[in-house]
Amino acid sequence: MILIDYNDKRPIYEQVVERFQTLIINGALEPNEKIPSVRSLAIQLSINPNTIQRAYMELEREGFIYSIKGRGNFVRMDDQLMEKQKEKCLGELKQRIQMCQDLGIEKERVLSKVFDVYGEGES
Amino acid sequence: MILIDYNDKRPIYEQVVERFQTLIINGALEPNEKIPSVRSLAIQLSINPNTIQRAYMELEREGFIYSIKGRGNFVRMDDQLMEKQKEKCLGELKQRIQMCQDLGIEKERVLSKVFDVYGEGES
Amino acid sequence: MILIDYNDKRPIYEQVVERFQTLIINGALEPNEKIPSVRSLAIQLSINPNTIQRAYMELEREGFIYSIKGRGNFVRMDDQLMEKQKEKCLGELKQRIQMCQDLGIEKERVLSKVFDVYGEGES
Amino acid sequence: MILIDYNDKRPIYEQVVERFQTLIINGALEPNEKIPSVRSLAIQLSINPNTIQRAYMELEREGFIYSIKGRGNFVRMDDQLMEKQKEKCLGELKQRIQMCQDLGIEKERVLSKVFDVYGEGES
DNA sequence: GTGGTCTAGACCACG
DNA sequence: GTGGTCTAGACCACC
């Protein structure tokens, strides 16, 4: 379910955070579903429990999960959070488009990338 | 000419590198133009000369400048390098568009961001 | 009668304690009225009986209930306890007002909050 | 400058966070002033550097300080953050006033607490 | 030297 | 068993 890429320059806890974010956003993990305990996931990935703990802390802070002492960590995903994530992603997208323009890249080349992903059709 | 943003989480040398890249790409710095010496820039920004040294090393590695011992560092910018930069930027753009799609963002909202930057017209 | 909010960061037993305190203070539970047994409440809330046990222990320690072996737990509420509760709450209120002052918040803004809750009138 | 109360039930890192918040809000620490390094403060308080690290992380997340790798941590305090803190404090104040009302405390007793702190005068 | 990350192992409160 | 906190000690990137 969770994989760590040791060639990735980013810290492990950040990789774990991102992986869970994806799983939750995709719906692979459903609301109120229990996710692995700090210790069990640490053993499974053979990394230190503190690292998982930190990842879970981050996920809770961002509103992706909630934790209950003595019980475990559970998925929290509501529409409000979803929309917030979309806004964030679109903001970063715009920033990158700006960089393309600064580089003198033509509008057509940018649009073609959109079509590469979304297809040429009506949506 | 060069500004450092201490609120920026990236290392200083990286900010210096990016700033020079922009100046060179924009044409603010012309090919074969001399850029400030390591020492003088370090004093001007009141940061460690090692940091500037590292930034210049990086810029040289990426082909943005060349250095002549005892003379200084000079801008190198050719079309080939330019195209390489564009490709890199477009690659990162595509990756982000993919993230938008994963989040379930509609094609229209992505396209609107492109138009925000480039305008609605024919280019 | 009792609800548990799993988004609340406080331990469950503390939530149970507070809920009963409110019900007793409000008069929803009358003096000498019997409250649910440890087991039945545990089943009803589908939580561990130990948790309820601890909550009842706490409530007894604070003088809100008394227990008779083999009979059950019963509400105890007298004016003395009531006044003690009020003093405690006012003490914490004063502490918070102090924090407001430390932050440089104007007297008017603090007073307006009082009026928000109690109304502008004579009481 | 910083003191730890081992009788306090709250975690150490939280005490450190709160102490710095107070010092920054009071103006005892001025904007852009350097605060002690993670290691030096850890030695001074004879606690683990990780604990200080966590406190500083929290402070940065809340916007009270900014950190530069290889340089240190510095105070950041702007009016926007200040106002945000005030709002937060007033929100918690209102919540407590509500609790007073629920307990049946008279409006006069609440107001008298405000006057205890702010004085009876015009402000 | 300074911040950032990680490991190994421990203790506590909670359920 | 589960999350939360802390210690002791280590390595890395950055300045």
Side-chain angles (χ1 to χ4, degrees):
Chain A
M1 196 147 106
I2 307 292
L3 283 177
I4 294 175
D5 175 7
Y6 284 101
N7 296 327
D8 196 325
K9 300 283 281 284
R10 293 174 310 165
I12 294 176
Y13 81 91
E14 208 174 307
Q15 292 185 45
V16 174
V17 166
E18 208 206 55
R19 188 79 186 105
F20 271 108
Q21 285 179 343
T22 308
L23 287 172
I24 292 172
I25 287 170
N26 285 349
L29 291 171
E30 295 188 4
N32 300 315
E33 186 174 344
K34 191 174 182 303
I35 61 174
S37 78
V38 172
R39 283 165 176 72
S40 67
L41 187 55
I43 293 169
Q44 186 196 320
L45 302 176
S46 30
I47 61 177
N48 191 289
N50 279 330
T51 306
I52 301 295
Q53 170 71 25
R54 179 162 180 188
Y56 280 11
M57 217 178 67
E58 196 73 13
L59 283 165
E60 185 175 16
R61 204 176 57 70
E62 294 175 8
F64 284 94
I65 65 174
Y66 59 93
S67 75
I68 305 174
K69 242 199 250 190
R71 284 224 171 177
N73 291 276
F74 305 84
V75 174
R76 155 161 53 207
M77 190 55 187
D78 51 21
D79 291 349
Q80 196 187 348
L81 179 58
M82 191 63 165
E83 192 51 38
K84 210 169 138 193
Q85 282 298 114
K86 287 185 182 177
E87 292 294 349
K88 188 179 155 200
C89 190
L90 279 167
E92 286 162 353
L93 174 70
K94 186 170 180 179
Q95 201 173 347
R96 173 129 319 257
I97 295 173
Q98 198 75 56
M99 284 175 61
C100 288
Q101 197 190 36
D102 289 346
L103 266 172
I105 297 175
E106 299 82 7
K107 188 180 174 183
E108 282 69 29
R109 289 177 77 179
V110 172
L111 285 174
S112 78
K113 288 293 170 188
V114 180
F115 296 137
D116 282 358
V117 174
Y118 276 90
E120 301 261 356
E122 261 308 305
S123 109
Chain B
M1 196 148 103
I2 306 291
L3 284 177
I4 294 175
D5 176 8
Y6 283 108
N7 293 333
D8 196 325
K9 296 301 311 172
R10 293 174 309 168
I12 294 175
Y13 83 91
E14 208 175 306
Q15 290 186 46
V16 174
V17 166
E18 207 207 55
R19 187 78 186 107
F20 270 110
Q21 286 179 344
T22 308
L23 288 172
I24 293 172
I25 287 170
N26 284 349
L29 290 172
E30 295 187 3
N32 301 315
E33 186 175 343
K34 190 175 182 300
I35 62 174
S37 76
V38 170
R39 269 182 219 170
S40 66
L41 188 55
I43 293 169
Q44 185 198 320
L45 301 177
S46 46
I47 59 178
N48 195 308
N50 288 331
T51 308
I52 303 296
Q53 180 61 42
R54 178 159 180 187
Y56 281 12
M57 237 174 55
E58 191 73 11
L59 283 164
E60 190 174 9
R61 203 179 57 71
E62 293 177 8
F64 284 92
I65 64 174
Y66 59 93
S67 74
I68 304 176
K69 248 192 245 176
R71 294 279 311 282
N73 294 277
F74 304 87
V75 175
R76 155 161 55 202
M77 191 54 185
D78 52 25
D79 291 349
Q80 195 188 347
L81 179 57
M82 192 63 164
E83 191 52 37
K84 208 170 137 195
Q85 282 298 112
K86 287 185 182 179
E87 291 294 347
K88 188 179 155 200
C89 189
L90 279 167
E92 286 162 353
L93 175 69
K94 186 169 180 179
Q95 200 173 348
R96 179 140 300 273
I97 295 172
Q98 197 75 57
M99 283 176 62
C100 288
Q101 198 191 35
D102 289 346
L103 264 172
I105 298 176
E106 301 82 6
K107 188 180 175 183
E108 282 69 29
R109 289 177 78 178
V110 172
L111 285 173
S112 80
K113 288 293 169 188
V114 179
F115 296 138
D116 282 357
V117 174
Y118 277 91
E120 301 263 356
E122 265 306 309
S123 114
Chain C
M1 197 148 102
I2 307 291
L3 283 177
I4 294 176
D5 176 7
Y6 284 107
N7 294 334
D8 195 326
K9 295 303 307 174
R10 293 174 309 168
I12 293 175
Y13 82 91
E14 208 175 307
Q15 290 186 47
V16 175
V17 166
E18 207 206 55
R19 188 79 185 106
F20 271 109
Q21 285 179 344
T22 308
L23 288 172
I24 293 172
I25 288 170
N26 284 349
L29 290 172
E30 295 187 3
N32 301 315
E33 187 175 343
K34 190 175 183 301
I35 61 174
S37 76
V38 170
R39 267 182 220 171
S40 66
L41 187 55
I43 291 169
Q44 184 197 321
L45 301 176
S46 46
I47 59 179
N48 195 309
N50 289 330
T51 308
I52 303 295
Q53 181 62 42
R54 179 160 181 186
Y56 281 11
M57 238 175 55
E58 190 72 13
L59 284 165
E60 189 173 10
R61 205 180 55 72
E62 294 177 7
F64 283 93
I65 64 174
Y66 58 93
S67 73
I68 304 176
K69 248 192 241 173
R71 294 277 312 283
N73 295 274
F74 304 87
V75 174
R76 155 161 54 204
M77 192 54 185
D78 51 26
D79 291 350
Q80 196 188 347
L81 179 57
M82 192 62 165
E83 191 52 37
K84 208 170 137 194
Q85 282 299 113
K86 287 185 182 177
E87 291 295 349
K88 188 179 154 200
C89 189
L90 280 166
E92 286 162 354
L93 175 70
K94 186 169 179 179
Q95 201 174 347
R96 177 138 305 269
I97 296 173
Q98 197 76 56
M99 283 176 62
C100 288
Q101 198 190 36
D102 289 346
L103 264 172
I105 298 175
E106 301 82 6
K107 187 180 175 181
E108 282 69 29
R109 290 177 76 179
V110 173
L111 286 174
S112 79
K113 288 293 170 189
V114 180
F115 296 136
D116 281 358
V117 175
Y118 277 91
E120 301 262 356
E122 265 306 310
S123 114
Chain D
M1 197 145 106
I2 307 291
L3 284 176
I4 295 175
D5 176 6
Y6 284 102
N7 296 327
D8 196 325
K9 301 282 282 285
R10 293 175 309 166
I12 294 176
Y13 81 91
E14 207 174 306
Q15 292 185 45
V16 174
V17 166
E18 207 206 57
R19 186 80 187 104
F20 270 108
Q21 285 179 343
T22 309
L23 288 172
I24 292 172
I25 287 171
N26 284 350
L29 291 172
E30 295 187 3
N32 300 316
E33 187 175 343
K34 190 176 182 301
I35 62 176
S37 79
V38 172
R39 283 166 177 72
S40 66
L41 187 55
I43 293 170
Q44 185 197 319
L45 301 177
S46 29
I47 60 177
N48 192 286
N50 279 330
T51 307
I52 302 294
Q53 170 71 24
R54 180 163 178 187
Y56 280 11
M57 216 179 69
E58 196 72 13
L59 283 165
E60 185 176 17
R61 204 176 56 72
E62 295 175 8
F64 285 94
I65 65 174
Y66 59 93
S67 74
I68 304 174
K69 242 199 252 190
R71 285 220 169 180
N73 291 276
F74 305 85
V75 175
R76 154 160 56 206
M77 190 56 187
D78 51 21
D79 291 348
Q80 197 187 349
L81 177 58
M82 192 62 165
E83 192 51 38
K84 211 169 138 194
Q85 282 298 115
K86 287 185 182 178
E87 293 293 348
K88 188 180 155 199
C89 189
L90 280 167
E92 286 162 354
L93 175 70
K94 187 169 179 179
Q95 201 173 349
R96 175 132 314 261
I97 295 172
Q98 197 76 58
M99 284 175 62
C100 288
Q101 199 192 34
D102 289 348
L103 265 172
I105 298 175
E106 300 82 7
K107 188 179 176 183
E108 283 68 29
R109 290 178 77 179
V110 172
L111 285 173
S112 78
K113 289 293 170 188
V114 179
F115 296 136
D116 283 357
V117 175
Y118 276 91
E120 300 261 357
E122 262 308 308
S123 114

